[in-house]
């Protein structure tokens, strides 16, 4: 069974309702907030010409295999949360790396998207960072 990756703010009640309906219908849902990345969530990905994507996304004692993601629902996630105490150049570099790594791997998944970042204003670049 395909998994549905839901990327939204933890406290987004409309997304809570969507997740409830999906799970009530038997869907495997993996919900996360981009604020969990890179401090609480990890992403590892590898692409193979024969098998496609492998690797996974893990956060808070839960994980999803990238090869199992059949759909992604992206709705108003929070900013990436970086380590406290970085200098401004370090923050800019880390933020760019978070957007490129997280956004690049997930955007490349061959699956159905609701609100693909390529068509959302600003795409992944529109996500800011927090942690100051």
């Amino acid at each position: 069974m395909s998994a549905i990756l839901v990327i939204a703010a933890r406290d987004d009640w409309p997304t809570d309702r969507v997740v409830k309906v999906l799970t009530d219908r038997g869907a495997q849902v993996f919900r996360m907030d981009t604020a969990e990345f890179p401090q609480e969530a990890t992403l590892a990905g590898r692409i193979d010409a024969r098998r496609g994507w492998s690797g996974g996304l893990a956060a808070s004692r839960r994980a999803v295999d990238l090869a199992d993601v059949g759909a992604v629902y992206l709705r108003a996630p929070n900013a990436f949360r970086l380590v406290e105490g970085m200098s401004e150049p370090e923050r800019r570099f880390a933020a760019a790396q978070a957007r490129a790594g997280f956004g690049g791997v997930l955007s490349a998944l061959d699956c159905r998207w609701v609100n693909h970042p390529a068509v959302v204003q600003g795409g992944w670049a529109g996500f800011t960072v927090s942690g100051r």
Side-chain angles (χ1 to χ4, degrees):
M1 171 189 275
S2 292
I4 300 170
L5 173 59
V6 175
I7 305 171
R10 283 183 181 149
D11 59 354
D12 185 59
W13 67 266
T15 300
D16 295 342
R17 295 177 69 185
V18 169
V19 169
K20 180 174 181 353
V21 169
L22 290 170
T23 55
D24 287 350
R25 293 181 180 180
Q28 177 189 349
V29 177
F30 181 92
R31 181 178 179 171
M32 71 161 299
D33 186 347
T34 46
E36 297 174 76
F37 187 82
Q39 299 305 305
E40 302 165 35
T42 60
L43 175 66
R46 179 172 184 244
I47 192 159
D48 181 289
R50 288 176 291 151
R51 295 185 346 216
W53 282 104
S54 62
L57 180 58
S60 303
R61 294 174 285 179
R62 55 193 162 69
V64 65
D65 188 321
L66 294 177
D68 293 340
V69 174
V72 179
Y73 175 60
L74 175 66
R75 179 187 150 76
N78 284 315
F80 293 115
R81 189 170 36 235
L82 302 175
V83 175
E84 299 276 344
M86 289 181 164
S87 68
E88 193 54 38
E90 290 170 330
R91 291 184 62 67
R92 283 194 306 271
F93 178 78
Q97 294 300 302
R99 283 190 297 270
F102 185 87
V105 170
L106 294 185
S107 294
L109 294 178
D110 185 21
C111 64
R112 181 177 307 270
W113 275 81
V114 176
N115 301 328
H116 194 287
V119 296
V120 174
Q121 176 112 17
W124 291 110
F127 297 122
T128 56
V129 295
S130 65
R132 286 194 126 161

